[in-house]
Amino acid sequence: MSQEYNPSWNVMQLFRLDGKWAFVTGGARNLGFDMALALAEAGANVIVTSRSADSARESAQLISKYTGQKAIGMALDVRNEQEIQDTVEKILAETGRIDILVNNAGNVTSTPENAPFNKRPLTLWQEVIDTNLTGSFLCAKHVTDAYMIPNKTGVIINLGSTAGIIGKDRRVYEGTPMGGATLDYHAAKGGVINMTRDMAAYLAPYNIRVNCISPGGFFRNQPQAFVDAYSQTFPMGRMGMDGKEMKGAAVYLASEASSFVTGHNLVVDGGLTIW
């Protein structure tokens, strides 16, 4: 039985994001920058935010230089709901649309002297929860309310972590000054993953897809003792590479290539969570 060919469903075309506007929180550096750059490489225009206005603008300029796409940098603290609402209004006034929201902004704040969680100050717990979990909720709340739900269209990508799936083997930090992920970070990222599932169920009737990406550890010139020990915990025997290994996942979930995928947690971890 023959199938009629639809040129617009050519697989490479399905990954294209031409004419879309993507809003990437925490998009000024590391994985956030990689994802914003990838979306622009696929044809989207992007807004990147950071707590630092200068960092956001500099990163936006680089993305525009590398891709030729429009890129705007804005300051945003995702812990502040009024600031989020104001930023969404500014974006819509500038672009008229927000097709893709990437909730990437996050942080890990180690307890002084790497004390165990029973010595964790509540202020640090709250800061990590507010940034990683509540910030993602608030950005989704205001973007969907202002644009996606009324227009019955949109894609949301939340950033989880392997820390939201498994506990941390803290032996990898022995002999290093590093403190690593904390209990609240694990709690926040686990919350993001399951929030994604229920958010996807809620928004599916509005033609809005919601998915999550959970990366494992990425190499950033950490102490060699840590890199050696941590790499042994990956079946692939190494950490992730910045500049490459989050880009495909972001474009896939943002594009029509994943048009029947929602509520999914895409794990990008070199196999860390399979054993």
Side-chain angles (χ1 to χ4, degrees):
M1 180 177 176
S2 63
Q3 178 80 32
E4 185 176 346
Y5 181 65
N6 186 336
S8 66
W9 291 353
N10 174 283
V11 69
M12 300 311 294
Q13 289 301 313
L14 291 175
F15 283 91
R16 294 298 306 173
L17 296 170
D18 302 287
K20 304 290 188 182
W21 274 96
F23 171 22
V24 183
T25 69
R29 63 190 183 95
N30 297 338
L31 299 183
F33 179 83
D34 288 351
M35 290 187 290
L37 177 61
L39 298 178
E41 288 173 338
N45 302 307
V46 298
I47 301 101
V48 296
T49 67
S50 169
R51 292 186 195 180
S52 165
D54 288 342
S55 294
R57 284 193 290 264
E58 289 170 7
S59 295
Q61 288 170 0
L62 284 174
I63 290 170
S64 185
K65 175 184 174 182
Y66 294 154
T67 67
Q69 297 298 117
K70 295 177 183 176
I72 301 169
M74 295 183 177
L76 176 63
D77 185 340
V78 298
R79 298 172 299 177
N80 186 316
E81 183 170 12
Q82 188 60 55
E83 200 170 316
I84 292 169
Q85 185 173 359
D86 292 344
T87 300
V88 170
E89 290 174 359
K90 289 177 186 176
I91 292 170
L92 291 175
E94 178 80 18
T95 69
R97 59 196 300 161
I98 301 173
D99 302 288
I100 301 157
L101 168 65
V102 181
N103 279 315
N104 172 73
N107 72 337
V108 180
T109 306
S110 295
T111 302
E113 299 179 356
N114 302 326
F117 81 86
N118 55 301
K119 303 297 183 182
R120 182 76 164 164
L122 180 59
T123 52
L124 292 182
W125 166 280
Q126 195 64 58
E127 178 186 347
V128 172
I129 296 293
D130 287 348
T131 304
N132 292 278
L133 178 57
T134 308
S136 295
F137 155 69
L138 291 173
C139 288
K141 170 186 174 180
H142 287 285
V143 169
T144 56
D145 185 60
Y147 184 79
M148 291 184 177
I149 288 176
N151 290 280
K152 292 189 176 181
T153 185
V155 173
I156 298 172
I157 301 172
N158 296 320
L159 263 292
S161 168
T162 54
I165 303 171
I166 58 174
K168 174 69 73 175
D169 182 354
R170 289 179 172 81
R171 292 174 296 181
V172 299
Y173 300 114
E174 291 176 2
T176 79
M178 299 177 61
T182 52
L183 188 70
D184 36 52
Y185 183 78
H186 284 250
K189 291 303 188 181
V192 167
I193 292 168
N194 214 40
M195 179 181 72
T196 297
R197 297 186 179 108
D198 198 48
M199 190 181 290
Y202 185 89
L203 293 173
Y206 300 96
N207 194 37
I208 299 166
R209 295 188 298 107
V210 187
N211 290 292
C212 187
I213 304 176
S214 286
F218 275 61
F219 175 73
R220 296 198 182 106
N221 294 310
Q222 295 95 333
Q224 193 60 48
F226 167 79
V227 172
D228 292 343
Y230 194 28
S231 294
Q232 292 177 25
T233 69
F234 292 81
M236 291 184 70
R238 64 173 178 85
M239 299 172 68
M241 292 188 290
D242 277 335
K244 177 186 178 184
E245 291 181 327
M246 279 287 284
K247 296 173 74 174
V251 172
Y252 169 65
L253 291 178
S255 70
E256 283 296 297
S258 62
S259 60
F260 200 48
V261 178
T262 196
H264 181 65
N265 181 34
L266 177 54
V267 182
V268 183
D269 71 346
L272 178 68
T273 57
I274 65 175
W275 61 8

